[in-house]
Amino acid sequence: MRFYRKPTPFSFFKKSKSVFKNIAAFIKYLFGKDKKFARQIRRITGFYPYNKDLYQTALTHRSLSARTNTGFMINNERLEFLGDSVLDLLIGEYLYKRFSNEQEGFLTQLRARIVNGDNLTELSKQIGLDLLVKTSVKSHSSNIHLYGDAFEAFLGAVYLDRGFSQAGKFIYKRIMPKYLNIFELEHQNTNYKSQLIEWGQKNKNEIEFATDVEYPGSKYFVSYVRINGENYGSGIGISKKEAEQKASKVALSKLS
């Protein structure tokens, strides 16, 4: 399955230009100061970075933000915003071409399973990106999607540093074949709340959810699920829906 445009008469010159830029990046690496970081980027992406500062920013959590002279905060949130859009487009293109006979609803649901925070967090750990993230956060709740957000920011850095084509190669050739099982995700039912409610109805058990903000001023929600008045699980998320899904997943694991 192809994801790139067919060669044109100018492809050779474009390829040559890319080769020269790669050579320049390698030379810059040889004489640069932070060789270890450049090697770490190459280990993950397969190439040396042109602009290491982009990747440094992508891996800086807001808890360790730097402030410019004008008061602007430098962290990975803007790159996360960009990377989220790039990832949605790349995964959307992949699914559109792979599942040519499926309707929009199927494609949307499958993309959501691929790019959800938990999945990206696990992916970030699998490729070792979590080891490069700079943060002062220690609490479990604030750490929910920290590494998943960093992955999106990292992809945003790849896009700005190398362009959309290279970002596509990174996802299609280095990430998806090794770390994403599309067949498994395709047949995975991640609506744990629905599964739990169905179980309760089938077995005539009362299911209740108690969901509220974690604490006054917090942007996270905590949810508790009770079965016949007994606590069976809890979950924390950036939305009520996510918190209830996580609580339901915990409850289902206890029932299985």
Side-chain angles (χ1 to χ4, degrees):
M1 186 180 299
R2 297 181 61 89
F3 296 98
Y4 305 101
R5 294 173 180 170
K6 294 181 179 180
T8 68
F10 300 101
S11 295
F12 172 78
F13 298 103
K14 290 182 178 179
K15 187 173 182 180
S16 298
K17 184 178 180 181
S18 177
V19 170
F20 285 126
K21 291 184 75 175
N22 284 332
I23 293 173
F26 180 67
I27 293 174
K28 189 175 181 180
Y29 153 74
L30 288 177
F31 295 97
K33 294 181 180 180
D34 198 350
K35 293 183 180 180
K36 181 179 179 181
F37 184 69
R39 287 197 303 269
Q40 290 169 327
I41 299 302
R42 186 178 187 277
R43 174 183 59 80
I44 294 172
T45 63
F47 56 77
Y48 289 105
Y50 295 156
N51 184 349
K52 287 186 292 186
D53 289 344
L54 281 171
Y55 299 90
Q56 293 281 12
T57 301
L59 297 169
T60 301
H61 185 252
R62 64 182 177 186
S63 60
L64 287 180
S65 299
R67 189 185 295 273
T68 67
N69 294 333
T70 60
F72 186 78
M73 303 298 289
I74 301 176
N75 55 50
N76 67 1
E77 290 185 334
R78 282 168 51 83
L79 281 170
E80 177 196 338
F81 163 79
L82 178 62
D84 175 71
S85 299
V86 174
L87 183 61
D88 270 357
L89 181 55
L90 289 171
I91 298 300
E93 179 186 8
Y94 173 86
L95 297 179
Y96 179 84
K97 292 181 177 180
R98 174 164 176 170
F99 300 98
S100 57
N101 295 320
E102 295 290 350
Q103 298 299 317
E104 181 268 345
F106 170 88
L107 300 176
T108 299
Q109 289 181 17
L110 185 51
R111 181 176 62 183
R113 293 174 195 168
I114 294 173
V115 304
N116 79 73
D118 289 340
N119 201 37
L120 293 183
T121 293
E122 183 60 29
L123 176 59
S124 183
K125 293 177 180 178
Q126 287 179 318
I127 65 176
L129 193 67
D130 60 314
L131 302 176
L132 304 180
V133 176
K134 292 173 286 186
T135 178
S136 64
V137 171
K138 298 186 182 301
S139 69
H140 173 74
S141 62
S142 299
N143 199 37
I144 292 175
H145 293 156
L146 189 153
Y147 299 130
D149 294 343
F151 179 84
E152 291 181 326
F154 187 81
L155 180 60
V158 172
Y159 168 73
L160 290 180
D161 187 41
R162 290 288 190 131
F164 187 73
S165 178
Q166 191 66 55
K169 290 178 182 178
F170 171 57
I171 294 297
Y172 297 145
K173 294 186 177 182
R174 297 189 71 89
I175 297 300
M176 298 193 74
K178 296 180 181 179
Y179 305 106
L180 290 177
N181 188 327
I182 299 299
F183 179 82
E184 183 178 295
L185 289 168
E186 180 185 354
H187 295 89
Q188 184 181 72
N189 182 359
T190 57
N191 192 338
Y192 302 110
K193 182 179 179 181
S194 176
Q195 293 179 54
L196 183 61
I197 291 174
E198 288 178 11
W199 176 89
Q201 292 172 343
K202 180 178 179 180
N203 295 280
K204 296 181 171 53
N205 289 292
E206 184 179 0
I207 309 294
E208 297 177 281
F209 290 89
T211 307
D212 204 348
V213 291
E214 186 181 18
Y215 54 82
S218 172
K219 70 174 185 178
Y220 295 100
F221 292 85
V222 60
S223 178
Y224 298 91
V225 59
R226 299 186 181 94
I227 301 177
N228 297 328
E230 181 181 348
N231 284 328
Y232 260 75
S234 64
I236 298 175
I238 58 176
S239 67
K240 287 185 177 182
K241 180 180 179 180
E242 182 180 7
E244 289 176 351
Q245 288 288 352
K246 289 188 173 182
S248 298
K249 184 177 181 180
V250 171
L252 285 169
S253 68
K254 292 181 179 179
L255 294 171
S256 60

